[in-house]
Amino acid sequence: QDNLLERAEQALQKFMTQAEQYGDGNVRQNILTQGYLLGAQLAEKRQQYDQALAWLERIERGEEMVRLAPQDIDLLYDQAMLAEKIGRLDTMETLLRQIMARQPDYHHAYNALGYSLADRGERLQEAQQLIEKALSYAPGDPFITDSLGWVLFRQGQAEQARTLLLQAWEKRPDAEIA
């Protein structure tokens, strides 16, 4: 997250070496899967999307692994965000909907799917409903408020969008909101 990519790659290599030596079974596979996801994230930060995809393709028994670790919502969320980055929007949506079904108050999933739809100008009414649901779980969250502003802008409601975007910026002057 600090963009120390060389150090991150060295740490990942060490992690993967240790993970490969860790016993057998589901625990080892879950550890390796986390390493593969981290490798994909590192490649994505470097905008090496083919390498990110190669890391993701190393995940064995993807659907089975999800069933083995249903409590790891953050892992599913990371996987969904990576799927979006490499253009697998159907996979992203499927994973986000799985999260919503398993943990209905996980507002990040609603916001991510709503924002993705709005950003592509697709299913804008559904995007707005998803984002509003995210806001019901996290009222005042500037990143979700930003998403709602974006969907309203896409719907042609420029003044309402501007008001929300400015509110989000005032609460959190972040580059992503800007």
Side-chain angles (χ1 to χ4, degrees), residues 49-64:
Y49 300 115
D50 290 339
Q51 286 184 0
L53 180 58
W55 277 102
L56 291 175
E57 288 174 348
R58 293 176 70 181
I59 297 173
E60 295 179 21
R61 304 173 301 151
E63 286 303 311
E64 184 178 341

Side-chain angles (χ1 to χ4, degrees), residues 21-173:
Q21 298 170 1
Y22 187 89
D24 291 323
N26 293 336
V27 173
R28 178 177 180 263
Q29 189 58 47
N30 287 342
I31 292 169
L32 286 171
T33 297
Q34 289 180 0
Y36 299 150
L37 289 170
L38 290 169
Q41 287 177 329
L42 182 60
E44 183 264 331
K45 270 201 174 268
R46 290 181 166 161
Q47 299 181 341
Q48 298 170 335
Y49 300 115
D50 290 339
Q51 286 184 0
L53 180 58
W55 277 102
L56 291 175
E57 288 174 348
R58 293 176 70 181
I59 297 173
E60 295 179 21
R61 304 173 301 151
E63 286 303 311
E64 184 178 341
M65 189 285 301
V66 167
R67 286 192 299 275
L68 292 172
Q71 73 282 4
D72 199 343
I73 297 297
D74 292 329
L75 181 63
L76 281 175
Y77 182 80
D78 289 345
Q79 192 174 3
M81 295 301 89
L82 286 170
E84 180 185 34
K85 294 287 186 191
I86 62 172
R88 292 191 170 177
L89 301 176
D90 57 335
T91 300
M92 175 206 64
E93 184 168 347
T94 298
L95 291 170
L96 291 174
R97 291 197 186 279
Q98 285 177 8
I99 293 168
M100 292 175 208
R102 290 181 186 170
Q103 189 173 336
D105 63 344
Y106 193 83
H107 62 277
H108 301 294
Y110 297 98
N111 186 51
L113 182 54
Y115 180 83
S116 177
L117 291 171
D119 197 43
R120 292 178 278 138
E122 297 177 2
R123 300 173 7 221
L124 295 176
Q125 186 60 41
E126 180 183 2
Q128 183 175 352
Q129 291 169 348
L130 288 163
I131 295 166
E132 287 173 347
K133 187 159 192 167
L135 270 174
S136 75
Y137 291 119
D141 183 301
F143 292 105
I144 302 172
T145 302
D146 169 68
S147 297
L148 184 57
W150 187 234
V151 77
L152 291 175
F153 176 78
R154 290 292 202 166
Q155 292 173 332
Q157 300 175 44
E159 280 306 311
Q160 289 175 315
R162 184 178 188 278
T163 299
L164 289 174
L165 293 170
L166 287 173
Q167 285 175 7
W169 174 256
E170 287 173 8
K171 281 188 178 181
R172 181 82 185 252

Side-chain angles (χ1 to χ4, degrees), residues 4-18 38-39 42 46 55:
L4 302 173
L5 302 182
E6 293 302 318
R7 286 181 50 196
E9 185 170 11
Q10 292 168 1
L12 178 60
Q13 288 173 354
K14 184 176 180 180
F15 175 84
M16 292 304 294
T17 299
Q18 291 175 351
L38 290 169
L42 182 60
R46 290 181 166 161
W55 277 102

